[in-house]
Amino acid sequence: MTVLDARVPEGPIETKWDDHRFAMKLVSPANKRKFSVIVVGTGLAGASAAATMGELGYNVKAFTFHDSARRAHSIAAQGGINAAKNYHGDGDSVHRLFHDTVKGGDFRSREANVHRLAEVSNNIIDQCVAQGVPFAREYGGLLDNRSFGGAQVSRTFYARGQTGQQLLLGAYQSLSAQVKAKTVELFNNTEMLDIVVVDGRAVGIVTRHLHTGEITSHAADAVVLATGGYSNVYYLSTNAMACNTSAIWRAHRKGAMFANPSFTQIHPTALPNSDELQSKLTLMSESLRNDGRIWVPKDLDEKRGPADIPDEDRDYFLERRYPAFGNLAPRDIASRAAKERVDAGYGVGPLKNGVYLDFSEATERLGRDVIEEKYGNLFEMYERITGENPYEVPMRIYPAPHYTMGGLWVDYELQTTIPGLFAIGEANFSDHGANRLGASALMQGLSDGYFVLPATIGNYLAPMLGKPKVDTSAPEFAEAERAVHEQNERFLSTNGTRTVDHYHRELGRIVWDYCGMERSREGLEKALSEIPALRTEFEANVRVLGSADTLNSSLEKAGRVADFFELAELMCRDALAREESCGGHFRVEYQTEDGEALRNDDEFAHVTAWEWSGDPSNPIEHREELRYESVQLATRSYK
Amino acid sequence: MNLTLRVWRQAGPTAPGRFETYEAKGVSEDSSFLEMLDTVNEGLIGAGHEPIEFMHDCREGICGTCALMINGQAHGPAERTTTCQLHMRTFSDGDEIIVEPWRAAGFPIVKDLVVDRSAFDRIIESGGYVSVATGSAQDANLIPIAKDSADIAMDAAACIGCGACVAACPNGAGQLFTAAKLMHLNSLPQGQPERYERTVAMVEVMEEHFGSCTNYGECEAACPKGISVDFIAAMNRDYRKALSRNRRSA
Ligand SMILES: Cc1cc2nc3c(=O)[nH]c(=O)nc-3n(C[C@H](O)[C@H](O)[C@H](O)COP(=O)(O)OP(=O)(O)OC[C@H]3O[C@@H](n4cnc5c(N)ncnc54)[C@H](O)[C@@H]3O)c2cc1C
Ligand code: SF4
Ligand code: FES
C-alpha cells in the first residue's frame, strides 16, 4: 500500500486556487494550436470542457456514443444547480457552501477541491445566464432560488423541472459554436473502448462506431474522460439506459486507480418498483421535498386510503427524527429512514414498498396554481407513469440508485494516476465524499469543465512543447484494437442461452441486496462469492446474436456488462474494507443506538484508491489521507 | 393483454425494409411501450432471431432519443407524450400495433427503427448559440429579464430535439424544431446581438435538409413538449426582418 499525494497547493484554503492558477505553467495562445486533446463524453462536464478548450485554441476531438451531444445523461437532471450567490441575503457565502458540502459528504472529501468548487460556483451561474440559459426568475426579473436537502439557505438555481436539460443545451450550443469554428471535431455514435498508454502516458483512445462497427485509433497529447457515473451497475437506477462504467473501467485496467467505488448514492424520491420487467426507476426531483411531506401510516394494518387517514394517525418520520431539517434531510439519511419504515412493515401501495410524498397541505397553503407552476411537469410525469393524479392522491416514492460518488482517483489538477489522463464530472471521485448533496453534481460537472480542467491541463502540456509526439502507428494502438476485436468476437461466438439483460438483472440484484442502502460483512462476503460465479456463467453462456460490423446493441451491452461485473466485485471489496459507516456507505455493524451512521475518523479518514492487479478478485489498496484544516471534523447532525 | 405487432425491419441504410409480425403475450398495462419491446426482444433472442434495434436512453421523456411511429402517429396516440413515456394502459387486449421509424428525407434510416437525426446538429452549429467565451460573463443579476420573456424563452427551450415534428409533417419540414431554438435565444436580451444573423443562418441550413412548411400544423399536434406553432410565425417575422436589414445594409 502506498499513500497517494493529491498535490494540493500550500497556503490558506481561501487563496489556494488563485495562487495555484498563478503558479501553473501556461501554454501561450499561439502554442495551444500545437496541442491536441481528446475529450470522451459530451455531458455537462465533457461539453463544457471541450467547448472551453476549443475557445482557448487547443485542437479538441470530442467523442460521444450518443447520436447527438445534446443527449448525454446530464439532460435528465431536474432539480437545480447550487451557487453561493447569496442573492437572497439569507446568509449564504462561499464558505457556507464549502462547509455544507464537506459536511454533507460526511467528511470524506478533499477540502481543497470542495473549496475551489464553491468559489467557482458563482462564475458558473454568470456563464450560463450569458449563454441564454432560461433560469427561473422572480417578477422583478431577478433570478429565483429554492432549497435542496442538506442546506438551510436557498441557493439552488433552476429552470422549471428541466435544469440539467437547459444547462446541457447551453454547453452543447457552445460546443456547437466551436464545431463550426473548427476548433472541435465531434464524433457522435462513437464509443471509446480502450485508452492507449505509451511510456506511462495516456496518448489516445480506440473507438468503435456504433452504426458501422468500424474500430479506429485516435492519438492526442492528453485524454480527458467525462463519461459519467456507474449507477447502472445496480441494473435498476434513475440513470439513462446507456450509462455505464466502461470508459473509466478500461482506464482502470490500464493503470488509473479507482477511488471509493462503494460510495454510491441512493436517492430517496424515486418511483417504487412495479414489476419484474421494469427497466428503470424514475426520479422525482428532490425539489419536491421543499413542499411535499413524507409519511407512512402509524398503524401496521392501516386499510384507509391516504386522504382518509387523519394527521394524528400519520407518521411524518423525517420530521419526527430530524426536526431541524425535516423533509429536507440529506439523501442518505432520508433514504435510510424510508427503508427503515418499509422494512418494518409500514410501506404503502399494493406491494407495500413505498412511502407517501404528500402535497395536500402545501396545496392548501399556497394554492394549486403555485404548486402547478413549481412542479407541474413532475406531476404530469408521475401521472403518465402511474396513472394516478398527485394533486389528489399523494405520490408514492421509494429510494433508488442514483449517483456514484466513487470514480477515478484524481489529484488537485484532476489528473488520474496515469499522466496525461484526466477525469471530470461524475466520472471522478473528487468532491462529494461519501454523500453528494442535491444540486451539486451539475455544479461540479460545470466547474470541472468550464473552469478547472481548462486551466490545469496547460500545466501538463506546457513542458511537452516541442517534444516528439506519439501517433497511431505506435504498436500499443494496434494491440488495443486487436483486444477490442477479440472481445467482440468472443461475445459473438459464445452462443449461450441467456441474454445480456438477464445477466445484468441478476448482477444488479446481488449488488442491490448486499452493497446497496445497507451493507454487512456477511452480505458482502456472500456477494463476493456470488459475483465471480455469475461472471463465469455470463462468459460461458451469454447469447449475443448478429455481427460486429453493424449496429448491434446487444454487443454494446455485453461489453458494458462485462465491466460492471468486475466493478461490482471491487465495490464489494471496498465496502468490506471500510469498517465504518459514513454517508451513503452504511455498514450495519457500525451504527449508533438510534440507528445513525457511526464514523471512525481515527482509522478511516482516508480515500481508498484501488489499483488493478490483473485479477479482478485481487486489487491492490492505496490510500489518500484526508486532513481537515478549515472544517472541524464533527458528527453530522441534522436533528 | 395480448397484442400483435407489425414492426419495420431493415438491415441497413440501403437494404430493403419490410414489416415483420410478432406476438406480444401477457403484456402488463403498467409497463411502458419500450419495456414491451424489451420483452419482445428477449423472446426474439431466445428464439435465435436478431432483436429489433430502436432508439432510447433516458426513458423519462427528456433526452429526445426515443422515436417511433406508432399506428402512424409520431410517439403514438397519447398527447404530449414521448414514446418512452407511453404506457401500455393506452392499448387494449387484441390490438394490432404498427411500429415504424421516423420517415422523412432529412432523417435517413440506419437500421430497423433507428434513424440519423444529425441534420438537427447542423442547424444548431450554424448559429444556435450565444457567442460568449468562458469566463467573460458579467454577474448574472446584472441582466434582469422580465418573467414573461423568461417564461416564453423557457417554453421554446423545452424542445427535446426528438424530431417528431418532422416525422409528423407531410412535407418533412423542420420548422418547429428550428423555430423553437431561435425563439428561445431571440426572446432573451442575451440573444439580441446575433439575432438576425442567427435567424438567417439557421433557416438556410434547415432548408438544405428539410422540406418546406405549408402550415399543416401536424408538428404541434405531435410535439411531446407542446411547442407552439406560434414560434414558427415569430421565426418567419424575424427572417423577413433579417432579409430586409441585409438588403438595406447591402
Ligand atoms: C434523473 C437524474 C436527475 C438528476 N438531477 C440532478 C440535479 O437536479 N442536480 C444535480 O446537481 N445533479 C443531478 N443529477 C446528477 C447529474 O445529472 C449528473 O451527475 C451529471 O449530469 C453527470 O454529468 P457528466 O457530464 O459527468 O456525465 P453525463 O452527462 O452522464 O455524460 C456522459 C457522457 O459520456 C459519454 N460516454 C460515456 N461513456 C462513453 C464511452 N465509452 N465512449 C464515448 N462516450 C461515452 C456519453 O455519451 C455522454 O456524452 C441527476 C441525475 C439523474 C440520474
Ligand atoms: S419541436 Fe417538439 S417534436 Fe420537434 S424536435 Fe422539438 S420537442 Fe420534438
Ligand atoms: S428515451 Fe429519452 S425521451 Fe424517450
Side-chain angles (χ1 to χ4, degrees):
Chain A
M1 189 179 76
T2 54
V3 175
L4 293 170
D5 179 7
R7 300 192 300 152
V8 173
E10 295 300 317
I13 197 152
E14 292 78 13
T15 60
K16 275 185 202 295
W17 176 232
D18 266 351
D19 296 345
H20 193 59
R21 270 196 300 178
F22 183 72
M24 281 188 295
K25 296 182 267 301
L26 290 177
V27 179
S28 75
N31 284 334
K32 289 203 175 82
R33 253 182 295 128
K34 299 178 185 153
F35 288 110
S36 58
V37 180
I38 284 174
V39 179
V40 187
T42 60
L44 283 180
S48 58
T52 303
M53 288 191 289
E55 278 164 27
L56 289 172
Y58 291 112
N59 285 305
V60 179
K61 278 183 165 187
F63 295 83
T64 167
F65 59 61
H66 283 99
D67 74 334
S68 165
R70 66 181 288 154
R71 304 211 200 279
H73 174 58
S74 295
I75 201 97
Q78 303 167 347
I81 177 166
N82 286 332
K85 283 285 194 187
N86 194 29
Y87 280 156
H88 296 264
D90 56 359
D92 203 6
S93 62
V94 167
H95 191 76
R96 188 180 295 278
L97 175 55
F98 158 65
H99 186 274
D100 285 352
T101 308
V102 171
K103 176 183 170 196
D106 216 357
F107 304 93
R108 290 292 175 264
S109 51
R110 189 189 293 148
E111 258 192 6
N113 283 50
V114 181
H115 200 278
R116 174 175 68 191
L117 176 64
E119 288 170 51
V120 164
S121 68
N122 291 340
N123 305 76
I124 296 172
I125 301 304
D126 299 341
Q127 182 66 24
C128 294
V129 166
Q131 290 168 346
V133 169
F135 282 123
R137 300 206 167 241
E138 297 172 333
Y139 282 97
L142 300 181
L143 290 157
D144 191 21
N145 287 137
R146 59 189 177 199
S147 307
F148 257 51
Q152 286 171 313
V153 293
S154 242
R155 62 160 75 98
T156 305
F157 294 78
Y158 66 101
R160 295 206 186 132
Q162 289 122 279
T163 316
Q165 179 196 29
Q166 294 310 317
L167 295 174
L168 182 61
L169 291 179
Y172 157 73
Q173 287 164 200
S174 297
L175 181 66
S176 299
Q178 294 308 306
V179 171
K180 183 182 179 192
K182 298 203 161 53
T183 60
V184 176
E185 194 182 352
L186 184 57
F187 297 80
N188 294 344
N189 297 307
T190 307
E191 179 162 23
M192 169 207 137
L193 290 178
D194 211 348
I195 75 148
V196 178
V197 179
V198 173
D199 295 335
R201 288 174 183 265
V203 295
I205 61 173
V206 167
T207 61
R208 175 172 181 272
H209 193 280
L210 299 188
H211 293 172
T212 63
E214 195 185 342
I215 310 277
T216 312
S217 289
H218 303 267
D221 296 298
V223 177
V224 180
L225 298 184
T227 50
Y230 53 86
S231 294
N232 276 347
V233 67
Y234 292 102
Y235 185 69
L236 284 181
S237 85
T238 64
N239 284 196
M241 303 298 285
C243 292
N244 69 79
T245 190
S246 291
I248 59 174
W249 191 256
R250 292 178 190 197
H252 174 58
R253 294 180 59 136
K254 286 281 171 85
M257 289 192 205
F258 206 116
N260 298 337
S262 70
F263 284 1
T264 57
Q265 175 165 81
I266 314 296
H267 194 293
T269 56
L271 301 191
N273 212 338
S274 71
D275 63 31
E276 264 294 288
L277 298 172
Q278 189 146 344
S279 56
K280 78 160 284 178
L281 297 169
T282 302
L283 180 80
M284 287 286 124
S285 167
E286 175 153 309
S287 60
L288 292 168
R289 291 200 274 145
N290 272 279
D291 290 302
R293 296 179 71 192
I294 295 181
W295 62 278
V296 291
K298 279 187 183 160
D299 184 358
L300 267 177
D301 300 314
E302 184 58 73
K303 298 267 174 331
R304 290 171 289 184
D308 301 326
I309 303 174
D311 233 31
E312 63 271 19
D313 293 342
R314 299 175 174 193
D315 176 12
Y316 294 96
F317 54 89
L318 286 176
E319 298 170 33
R320 166 169 63 77
R321 290 179 62 179
Y322 309 101
F325 281 69
N327 293 297
L328 284 173
R331 292 178 175 175
D332 51 337
I333 289 178
S335 289
R336 230 168 17 250
K339 176 174 162 49
E340 189 274 330
R341 284 292 82 187
V342 169
D343 287 352
Y346 295 92
V348 301
L351 303 174
K352 287 184 82 79
N353 63 349
V355 300
Y356 288 128
L357 175 62
D358 192 339
F359 291 86
S360 51
E361 193 222 60
T363 311
E364 236 166 73
R365 182 164 39 91
L366 304 166
R368 186 176 154 144
D369 291 357
V370 175
I371 297 295
E372 201 171 323
E373 159 96 23
K374 281 189 170 169
Y375 311 114
N377 63 327
L378 295 169
F379 278 39
E380 262 175 48
M381 176 152 84
Y382 183 87
E383 184 167 5
R384 228 174 271 131
I385 296 171
T386 62
E388 286 178 4
N389 177 353
Y391 292 103
E392 278 150 25
V393 193
M395 288 184 178
R396 281 180 290 118
I397 53 161
Y398 195 66
H402 176 61
Y403 181 86
T404 51
M405 285 75 72
L408 291 184
W409 186 87
V410 289
D411 65 10
Y412 186 71
E413 294 185 358
L414 305 181
Q415 184 160 224
T416 69
T417 50
I418 303 176
L421 181 70
F422 295 77
I424 59 177
E426 194 173 340
N428 73 24
F429 88 106
S430 67
D431 298 355
H432 307 294
N435 173 57
R436 174 176 71 79
L437 289 183
S440 57
L442 302 182
M443 169 171 74
Q444 181 226 331
L446 291 180
S447 157
D448 289 357
Y450 282 131
F451 297 105
V452 180
L453 178 87
T456 58
I457 204 164
N459 205 27
Y460 172 75
L461 293 172
M464 300 196 350
L465 191 67
K467 299 249 172 75
K469 296 190 185 258
V470 178
D471 65 29
T472 55
S473 63
E476 287 84 350
F477 280 97
E479 173 56 27
E481 286 195 22
R482 196 184 50 76
V484 166
H485 278 295
E486 264 177 24
Q487 191 190 36
N488 285 343
E489 285 315 312
R490 213 166 38 245
F491 287 131
L492 290 167
S493 60
T494 304
N495 218 351
T497 62
R498 305 309 284 265
T499 61
V500 179
D501 283 349
H502 164 81
Y503 286 106
H504 192 180
R505 249 192 313 268
E506 290 296 302
L507 173 67
R509 192 189 47 74
I510 300 174
V511 190
W512 174 244
D513 284 350
Y514 301 120
C515 200
M517 252 189 291
E518 264 181 19
R519 294 111 190 240
S520 67
R521 169 168 291 278
E522 200 194 340
L524 289 164
E525 281 172 351
K526 205 155 163 219
L528 283 171
S529 78
E530 288 182 12
I531 294 167
L534 189 66
R535 186 178 67 231
T536 309
E537 194 198 311
F538 165 76
E539 284 163 1
N541 194 38
V542 71
R543 172 179 288 190
V544 181
L545 301 172
S547 63
D549 59 359
T550 169
L551 177 60
N552 186 339
S553 49
S554 305
L555 181 63
E556 295 160 24
K557 280 192 277 189
R560 297 171 189 168
V561 170
D563 294 331
F564 277 139
F565 267 108
E566 295 182 354
L567 166 69
E569 218 180 314
L570 189 68
M571 286 169 66
C572 293
R573 261 174 231 293
D574 184 57
L576 194 60
R578 190 167 281 277
E579 296 180 329
E580 64 162 351
S581 293
C582 57
H585 170 67
F586 192 79
R587 281 282 299 266
V588 291
E589 301 94 330
Y590 309 101
Q591 53 180 310
T592 63
E593 260 168 34
D594 46 0
E596 304 296 341
L598 189 62
R599 253 181 22 229
N600 178 347
D601 293 331
D602 293 336
E603 287 176 81
F604 291 98
H606 61 249
V607 175
T608 316
W610 299 92
E611 180 189 343
W612 174 256
S613 69
D615 169 6
S617 304
N618 278 303
I620 305 160
E621 182 182 342
H622 302 272
R623 287 181 183 174
E624 174 196 342
E625 296 302 331
L626 294 170
R627 267 179 296 279
Y628 291 90
E629 286 158 9
S630 306
V631 182
Q632 183 126 41
L633 268 170
T635 302
R636 258 187 343 166
S637 169
Y638 292 94
K639 294 198 167 174
Chain B
M1 60 178 107
N2 298 325
L3 306 160
T4 304
L5 305 180
R6 308 236 311 129
V7 181
W8 185 259
R9 302 298 306 262
Q10 180 171 334
T14 53
R18 65 192 185 285
F19 282 103
E20 291 281 350
T21 305
Y22 304 111
E23 302 297 328
K25 294 221 157 65
V27 176
S28 150
E29 59 175 41
D30 285 330
S31 66
S32 70
F33 196 85
L34 297 183
E35 284 165 353
M36 184 273 294
L37 283 184
D38 291 339
T39 316
V40 169
N41 272 344
E42 293 266 296
L44 283 175
I45 298 171
H49 302 299
E50 285 185 34
I52 306 160
E53 295 289 352
F54 61 90
M55 302 186 289
H56 66 101
D57 196 21
C58 73
R59 297 203 175 188
E60 44 186 73
I62 192 71
C63 72
T65 308
C66 62
L68 293 177
M69 284 306 255
I70 300 169
N71 288 336
Q73 281 178 290
H75 290 308
E79 243 177 70
R80 295 189 62 171
T81 301
T82 54
T83 301
C84 61
Q85 294 280 282
L86 181 64
H87 278 67
M88 295 313 291
R89 62 182 80 88
T90 318
F91 298 91
S92 317
D93 188 41
D95 278 359
E96 182 184 87
I97 307 177
I98 298 174
V99 189
E100 295 172 85
W102 281 173
R103 298 207 190 263
F107 294 155
I109 294 183
V110 174
K111 186 173 182 178
D112 294 343
L113 305 172
V114 176
V115 299
D116 176 356
R117 289 169 290 190
S118 51
F120 274 5
D121 289 326
R122 301 291 92 75
I123 295 176
I124 301 297
E125 283 158 16
S126 72
Y129 44 78
V130 173
S131 302
V132 46
T134 304
S136 62
Q138 58 182 341
D139 183 86
N141 256 351
L142 290 177
I143 325 174
I145 299 175
K147 192 168 180 311
D148 354 342
S149 316
D151 283 348
I152 292 174
M154 182 63 221
D155 287 343
C159 163
I160 57 175
C162 62
C165 45
V166 175
C169 174
N171 304 329
Q175 252 76 5
L176 195 62
F177 167 81
T178 312
K181 184 44 57 190
L182 272 170
M183 289 306 120
H184 160 209
L185 297 174
N186 289 4
S187 328
L188 292 171
Q190 301 92 306
Q192 295 315 306
E194 294 165 298
R195 178 173 185 165
Y196 295 103
E197 219 181 303
R198 170 187 308 121
T199 307
V200 172
M202 288 176 67
V203 168
E204 282 174 0
V205 174
M206 171 188 79
E207 285 173 346
E208 275 168 36
H209 292 275
F210 295 102
S212 47
C213 173
T214 49
N215 299 316
Y216 277 102
E218 293 289 339
C219 50
E220 182 183 290
C223 175
K225 297 295 145 180
I227 305 291
S228 159
V229 288
D230 294 349
F231 289 126
I232 299 182
M235 168 174 81
N236 290 339
R237 275 197 301 277
D238 272 10
Y239 186 63
R240 280 194 303 273
K241 249 195 231 161
L243 291 186
S244 66
R245 280 161 61 103
N246 285 354
R247 265 199 303 278
R248 259 183 281 133
S249 60

